[in-house]
Amino acid sequence: MQTLRRKDILGLEEMSAEEITLILETARSMREIMQRKIKKVPTLRGRSVLNLFYEPSTRTKASFELAQKYMSADSVSVAGTSSSLVKGETLKDTVRNVEVMGIECVIMRHPASGSSHYLAHNVEASVINAGDGMHEHPTQGLLDMFTILDKKGRLEELKVAIVGDIRHSRVARSNLWGMQKMGAEVVVAGPPTLMPPDLTAFGVKAFPNVEEAVENADVVMALRLQKERQEGGLFPSLREYSELYGLTPQRISGAKEDVLIMHPGPMNRGVEISSELADGPRSIILEQVTSGVAVRMALLYLLLGGTKEE
Amino acid sequence: MALTHKATVMDEKAIKQALRRIAHEIIERNKGTEEVVLIGIRNRGVPLANRLKNYLSEIETPVVPLGILDITLYRDDLSQRQDQPEVHTTDVPFDLHKKHVVVVDDVLYTGRTTRAAMDALIDLGRPATIQLVVLVDRGHRELPIRADYVGKNVPTSRNEQVEVKVKEVDGTDQVDILENK
């Protein structure tokens, strides 16, 4: 397959293994560009992209913006708090207005699940979901797979353990869909209150304790504990969470010797992951960030670099 | 419209002789191979560059470094093509600064691939010179570009196609002219 035959990147649930492979292979070429002295190719000259972030973001936003610059696309970024949304304009109106200024692709992060689907159906521009509520964060899933593939050479038959707040995590959702499609075995662990009620729908095994889940794992991924969840009464205290579910070298000692440690960021050091592990030799947390730019360059190329078939 | 075989313009022996001659010309022009690097343009340029490297090393030391260039991201027709070209990796693991960069491609036609290759190379560094090797020059340039080393000049019409086959990719060494009928 040479072309991504879709207008938008909304989630990995709807994407095929073939499409994911194409994206990851294209990203490999893009990473080479990032290693050059002149990190720029003229490919998307004259194409325009809007970054619309209704939620705070450092990594994802910087990553998308750099990817656009490296590909020579023109871009504007709008933060939710400084946009007309606060004046009561609807999302559809906002984007339609920007669209008539010549925007061909919208990158959106939004607190409402499904918002990127809604937008994609209402505008002609391509939409890339940069995280919608508790639904999906497809570019994070892709960059995680890219990083693992780079280190292990494959995804098939790897055991990946995802630990933490699975229920509220769009990162977990995208990874669960994506990695299983690529042939990995995915297991999850975390407090029962932070597990989605419909885990069987994902086809993954859930463990109440971390030690069991990481047994023989090739990859262990910690998720950020969203502190605001504590106020909802889903776990008693950060300290207790850290005691029971925080990743430390001891806790994951049952994993494979060459296990990879991942975290999508931002990290709460000492809560879901110990500094010893996060900064240790098995950690590929910073590689994940580098991969992010390459994967986003690949997506921009695949969505914008060529004529849309009518 | 169907493509039919019109003529075979180079066989295995002719390709070998042409590349050997070009190897000597590269050495003569650059006074050795000290500062020479080879860059093969994907796809057919890569095996041809590799052969040149071997011929050069039979005559001169040191061995000339060989890089691979993918020009997809530099094409000027991206927004006009229906089929999106697949991006492959560029692999130039050495510095181009002050080098004589010898670019190798199979066919020189409009010159647009060469233009893209030059842009790509200049993004990688600042070569002393960029020189161009092509196995076949078929004419019909759309840009002011010429080759420094030519395997064979083959006058063609625009409705013909030049098909270069190399052993490493196609299992055989041959250059054919195909006609659109």
Side-chain angles (χ1 to χ4, degrees), chain A:
Chain A
M1 185 171 63
Q2 276 204 332
T3 322
L4 210 53
R5 293 184 197 285
R6 53 171 72 239
K7 169 174 149 301
D8 314 290
I9 306 291
L10 304 176
L12 299 188
E13 181 179 3
E14 60 193 34
M15 214 174 258
S16 69
E18 215 185 4
E19 287 176 291
I20 294 173
T21 304
L22 173 70
I23 296 167
L24 299 183
E25 271 173 15
T26 307
R28 235 174 7 157
S29 310
M30 299 301 173
R31 192 180 45 188
E32 179 269 322
I33 294 163
M34 294 171 63
Q35 289 157 352
R36 296 182 188 173
K37 264 190 218 149
I38 299 175
K39 301 178 197 43
K40 203 175 191 70
V41 289
T43 320
L44 296 182
R45 246 178 346 169
R47 317 305 295 267
S48 322
V49 182
L50 167 69
N51 300 298
L52 195 53
F53 279 70
Y54 288 108
E55 269 187 353
S57 165
T58 315
R59 244 166 309 273
T60 307
K61 188 158 174 275
S63 178
F64 267 114
E65 287 182 8
L66 282 173
Q68 289 148 14
K69 291 186 198 315
Y70 293 167
M71 298 298 285
S72 300
D74 292 312
S75 64
V76 281
S77 297
V78 176
T81 46
S82 66
S83 76
S84 291
L85 190 78
V86 293
K87 295 183 187 167
E89 187 176 51
T90 66
L91 178 59
K92 192 159 102 182
D93 283 336
T94 303
V95 175
R96 281 201 173 153
N97 275 279
V98 188
E99 208 171 24
V100 294
M101 293 189 230
I103 291 288
E104 293 155 281
C105 179
V106 181
I107 319 291
M108 185 173 72
R109 168 167 292 185
H110 197 282
S113 305
S115 50
S116 55
H117 278 84
Y118 167 80
L119 186 65
H121 290 137
N122 283 289
V123 298
E124 274 178 37
S126 288
V127 175
I128 301 181
N129 179 4
D132 63 330
M134 303 189 301
H135 176 233
E136 278 221 46
H137 189 353
T139 59
Q140 179 74 40
L142 289 165
L143 74 87
D144 287 339
M145 288 190 276
F146 180 80
T147 316
I148 297 172
L149 197 61
D150 186 43
K151 295 283 167 186
K152 296 280 187 192
R154 67 192 164 103
L155 286 160
E156 305 90 65
E157 286 162 33
L158 291 184
K159 182 181 173 184
V160 181
I162 305 180
V163 180
D165 182 358
I166 310 292
R167 183 171 174 179
H168 303 100
S169 172
R170 53 195 177 208
V171 176
R173 258 177 201 76
S174 286
N175 269 315
L176 288 177
W177 295 124
M179 287 177 177
Q180 292 193 102
K181 279 183 187 169
M182 298 303 284
E185 179 200 354
V186 186
V187 301
V188 298
T193 49
L194 296 179
M195 285 291 145
D198 53 343
L199 247 184
T200 46
F202 292 101
V204 298
K205 242 181 165 170
F207 294 91
N209 70 65
V210 179
E211 288 83 349
E212 253 182 277
V214 303
E215 185 72 45
N216 226 10
D218 298 281
V219 177
V220 176
M221 183 186 296
L223 297 175
R224 183 175 75 90
L225 187 69
Q226 303 175 31
K227 289 176 180 166
E228 59 273 21
R229 306 294 172 207
Q230 191 199 336
E231 287 148 29
L234 293 172
F235 59 95
S237 72
L238 284 180
R239 173 136 178 247
E240 185 180 311
Y241 181 88
S242 159
E243 289 285 318
L244 292 172
Y245 301 100
L247 296 184
T248 61
Q250 295 74 31
R251 178 153 286 143
I252 64 150
S253 58
K256 288 208 178 119
E257 207 169 313
D258 60 349
V259 66
L260 301 175
I261 306 298
M262 303 178 79
H263 190 299
M267 277 189 280
N268 300 304
R269 286 172 180 270
V271 181
E272 70 264 6
I273 188 165
S274 73
S275 282
E276 200 185 343
L277 209 54
D279 304 328
R282 303 309 314 157
S283 165
I284 53 167
I285 294 172
L286 287 174
E287 276 100 325
Q288 286 174 268
V289 182
T290 313
S291 307
V293 182
V295 162
R296 287 163 183 134
M297 288 167 79
L299 289 174
L300 289 170
Y301 171 70
L302 291 169
L303 288 184
L304 292 177
T307 322
K308 282 265 144 53
E309 277 165 80
E310 295 304 324

Side-chain angles (χ1 to χ4, degrees), chain A residues 1-4 25-26 28-30 32-33 36-38 40-43 71 301-302 305-307 309, chain B residues 70 72-74 78-92 95 119-120 122-125:
Chain A
M1 185 171 63
Q2 276 204 332
T3 322
L4 210 53
E25 271 173 15
T26 307
R28 235 174 7 157
S29 310
M30 299 301 173
E32 179 269 322
I33 294 163
R36 296 182 188 173
K37 264 190 218 149
I38 299 175
K40 203 175 191 70
V41 289
T43 320
M71 298 298 285
Y301 171 70
L302 291 169
T307 322
E309 277 165 80
Chain B
D70 183 85
T72 312
L73 298 170
Y74 291 84
L78 273 179
S79 57
Q80 283 152 45
R81 286 172 67 109
Q82 287 289 307
D83 56 321
Q84 186 177 40
E86 210 167 325
V87 188
H88 295 282
T89 309
T90 287
D91 183 16
V92 181
D95 195 2
D119 277 359
I122 286 164
D123 278 358
L124 296 175

Side-chain angles (χ1 to χ4, degrees), chain B:
Chain B
M1 270 201 316
L3 281 175
T4 52
H5 183 264
K6 187 184 173 194
T8 298
V9 290
M10 290 178 98
D11 58 10
E12 185 178 341
K13 195 175 160 204
I15 292 174
K16 187 174 175 181
Q17 283 169 343
L19 289 175
R20 277 184 177 278
R21 170 179 48 82
I22 289 172
H24 281 99
E25 287 173 5
I26 291 172
I27 291 165
E28 186 182 5
R29 165 135 172 218
N30 296 291
K31 299 180 179 64
T33 55
E34 198 76 19
E35 298 297 325
V36 173
V37 301
L38 285 166
I39 300 282
I41 300 181
R42 279 187 198 273
N43 287 314
R44 298 288 184 284
V46 179
L48 293 176
N50 194 40
R51 288 189 207 178
L52 269 178
K53 175 186 170 175
N54 293 335
Y55 292 142
L56 287 170
S57 69
E58 285 170 15
I59 315 165
E60 287 274 328
T61 48
V63 173
V64 174
L66 170 64
I68 296 171
L69 195 66
D70 183 85
I71 56 112
T72 312
L73 298 170
Y74 291 84
R75 298 182 74 107
D76 61 6
D77 58 354
L78 273 179
S79 57
Q80 283 152 45
R81 286 172 67 109
Q82 287 289 307
D83 56 321
Q84 186 177 40
E86 210 167 325
V87 188
H88 295 282
T89 309
T90 287
D91 183 16
V92 181
F94 44 80
D95 195 2
L96 297 181
H97 189 62
K98 291 189 177 166
K99 298 289 181 194
H100 295 293
V101 177
V102 178
V103 177
V104 184
D105 202 0
D106 54 355
V107 180
L108 179 57
Y109 182 28
T110 60
R112 286 177 193 266
T113 302
T114 308
R115 196 281 309 161
M118 287 195 286
D119 277 359
L121 285 173
I122 286 164
D123 278 358
L124 296 175
R126 188 176 188 280
T129 62
I130 297 178
Q131 301 164 25
L132 177 63
V133 173
V134 292
L135 187 60
V136 174
D137 182 347
R138 62 168 293 192
H140 303 289
R141 220 74 79 235
E142 292 168 3
L143 298 171
I145 279 169
R146 59 153 180 79
D148 299 271
Y149 314 95
V150 180
K152 191 178 175 75
N153 282 297
V154 181
T156 57
S157 79
R158 279 179 189 275
N159 63 16
E160 289 167 344
Q161 276 188 25
V162 175
E163 187 178 63
V164 173
K165 288 182 178 159
V166 292
K167 270 196 183 127
E168 295 87 331
V169 184
D170 313 288
T172 172
D173 275 350
Q174 197 167 311
V175 179
D176 293 321
I177 296 182
L178 309 176
E179 206 172 4
N180 256 320
K181 274 196 175 154

